[in-house]
Amino acid sequence: MSQKKFRDKNQLYIIEGEKLVKELAGGKAGHDHRIKLLFATGDWIGQNQTELARSGIEAVEAGLSDIKRVSNLVTPPQVLALVNIPNPQFNEDELADTPVLAFESIRDPGNLGTIIRTADWFGIGHIICTPDSVDVYNPKVVQSTMGAIARVDVIYKDILQILNRPGIKKKAVYGTFLDGENIYETTLDKNPMILFGNESHGLSDRFDPYIRQRLSIPSFSTNGAGSESLNVASSVAVICSEIRR
Amino acid sequence: MSQKKFRDKNQLYIIEGEKLVKELAGGKAGHDHRIKLLFATGDWIGQNQTELARSGIEAVEAGLSDIKRVSNLVTPPQVLALVNIPNPQFNEDELADTPVLAFESIRDPGNLGTIIRTADWFGIGHIICTPDSVDVYNPKVVQSTMGAIARVDVIYKDILQILNRPGIKKKAVYGTFLDGENIYETTLDKNPMILFGNESHGLSDRFDPYIRQRLSIPSFSTNGAGSESLNVASSVAVICSEIRR
């Protein structure tokens, strides 16, 4: 399940640890992320019998050494589970009245996971990634969402295709750049689509014709010798905050 | 150099990859982060002879297989270097008129690295970590700062000790909590000290007597079933943005 080909074949992804399992087993998760099968130590199953019975989740007892073989964590957890991979579809109406985050070739699993967690915090439920981006069901992405993966829909599509849909053409499309307009001096649309580029190369120019406004988070580095850029997950946090504040 | 005991003994830390090496070798770095020794492939040394001669940095030719043995990256770089560990000290005057970020028991190297990069972007040069926090010269921290490590001073000290200094007592001290006042409805001091808690446990109550205001980034999750918290590096990005905007 840690490898994409197994995830694709079985349409299941792995979650690890009590916190994540309880969040997805309980009412907080989206309906489409159902736990299919749970592996846990006898101790854990004993302590959680009531919840397991209520949820109807099938639990298989496993030794810590078995869990360790499957686990991607440094310290194997008491419990891990296999979860159905949902197949979210975004229709145009759905995208029209809500902020949408779109990522070109995002590569770092920790970044994508943190971004999903941030989007959830700011009530943003729609993320689009170009197909060459890191897989959202990669275990590192999943774990760093801290459960938000079940509440934020992520689809893999060519962003240009979506930008070309008639219903989207009315949307305020922002691109994030190092040389854009100062976000603090711009009145932002409340339901924009915001494009973020790859960690190393930024946004490619094929999106230029669709971008209504180029935005930047200005640097306050005093000596003009500061960092070249913000981390993409940090940029997402700042921009989501600006839209919602 | 990847282990803390070696770093402590030799007072050197490791940086990997051309981008980081060039940033610390060039004028952009702080003076205290001097490259002591550089290991690179013959190709790399050949291509960078002029810069090496100008900088006066001693370069040792190494094969990729040698570099691989020392490297912490999945793909070993063409160049890595050992850098002097500086010994920053914060005096009270220095802390009085600038924002300061303080972290209790921060544990994740990627978080601390991203925070240093964000602090640099927002022109914040002073970070305090409690001594049980992750080491700033841990290779994962260093790499994720993208060079900002040379421009932001990080000290390890009991935060209470600093809060007790007479010069600091006048400072606006904010704590970040899940149940604090909405940061968007608060007029923030421009040069506060902001306390952030551990990734799992938040801020402990021993800081309560020193905190002027408890702050929160409000959640905009629509169904009241959102994430329990924001990632600490994302929170730092939002709060730095609020102070500087």
Side-chain angles (χ1 to χ4, degrees), chain A:
Chain A
M1 292 306 141
S2 301
Q3 286 187 289
K4 191 164 190 315
K5 62 178 177 185
F6 289 110
R7 292 198 295 274
D8 286 347
K9 190 177 162 209
N10 300 299
Q11 288 295 297
L12 291 171
Y13 71 93
I14 193 169
I15 58 173
E16 300 200 44
E18 179 168 89
K19 199 177 173 319
L20 215 51
V21 166
K22 290 203 166 166
E23 187 143 354
L24 264 75
K28 289 185 85 181
H31 300 301
D32 299 335
H33 294 254
R34 274 177 301 104
I35 292 181
K36 180 100 172 172
L37 198 57
L38 175 154
F39 298 90
T41 59
D43 278 359
W44 194 89
I45 292 177
Q47 284 157 18
N48 293 279
Q49 251 164 350
T50 320
E51 289 94 326
L52 281 169
R54 194 169 41 213
S55 67
I57 292 169
E58 188 184 344
V60 175
E61 191 176 325
L64 260 185
S65 58
D66 296 322
I67 291 178
K68 193 178 173 146
R69 262 200 295 277
V70 184
S71 174
N72 301 285
L73 304 182
V74 180
T75 313
Q78 295 279 320
V79 56
L80 52 78
L82 300 179
V83 181
N84 275 314
I85 289 183
N87 185 18
Q89 304 290 337
F90 294 169
N91 63 53
E92 288 175 25
D93 293 346
E94 213 180 325
L95 295 184
D97 298 323
T98 188
V100 179
L101 307 179
F103 297 89
E104 182 184 27
S105 314
I106 181 166
R107 290 291 155 76
D108 184 84
N111 279 345
L112 182 57
T114 304
I115 286 166
I116 292 169
R117 188 173 166 194
T118 299
D120 186 36
W121 188 262
F122 286 105
I124 297 173
H126 299 81
I127 291 178
I128 303 162
C129 294
T130 54
D132 58 343
S133 301
V134 60
D135 182 33
V136 62
Y137 299 110
N138 169 314
K140 280 188 196 162
V141 178
V142 172
Q143 293 301 124
S144 54
T145 68
M146 299 288 279
I149 193 168
R151 292 181 296 270
V152 175
D153 286 337
V154 180
I155 63 165
Y156 287 79
K157 271 237 155 61
D158 184 357
I159 297 171
L160 283 184
Q161 244 183 55
I162 291 175
L163 289 170
N164 272 321
R165 290 192 199 163
I168 302 302
K169 290 206 165 171
K170 289 165 242 153
K171 214 167 168 68
V173 177
Y174 299 137
T176 50
F177 297 91
L178 290 170
D179 62 349
E181 291 172 60
N182 184 332
I183 47 158
Y184 305 130
E185 293 166 0
T186 308
T187 306
L188 298 171
D189 189 279
K190 285 292 170 193
N191 293 307
M193 183 183 298
I194 309 157
L195 311 187
F196 295 87
N198 166 266
E199 286 96 338
S200 307
H201 309 296
L203 268 177
S204 62
D205 54 13
R206 64 200 179 102
F207 300 112
D208 286 356
Y210 299 87
I211 288 171
R212 185 184 295 184
Q213 214 163 1
R214 297 166 63 90
L215 297 180
S216 267
I217 301 165
S219 171
F220 293 82
S221 182
T222 41
N223 48 7
S227 288
E228 280 174 31
S229 65
L230 264 178
N231 165 278
V232 62
S234 304
S235 303
V236 168
V238 169
I239 290 178
C240 289
S241 173
E242 281 299 311
I243 292 172
R244 292 299 203 189
R245 78 193 297 281

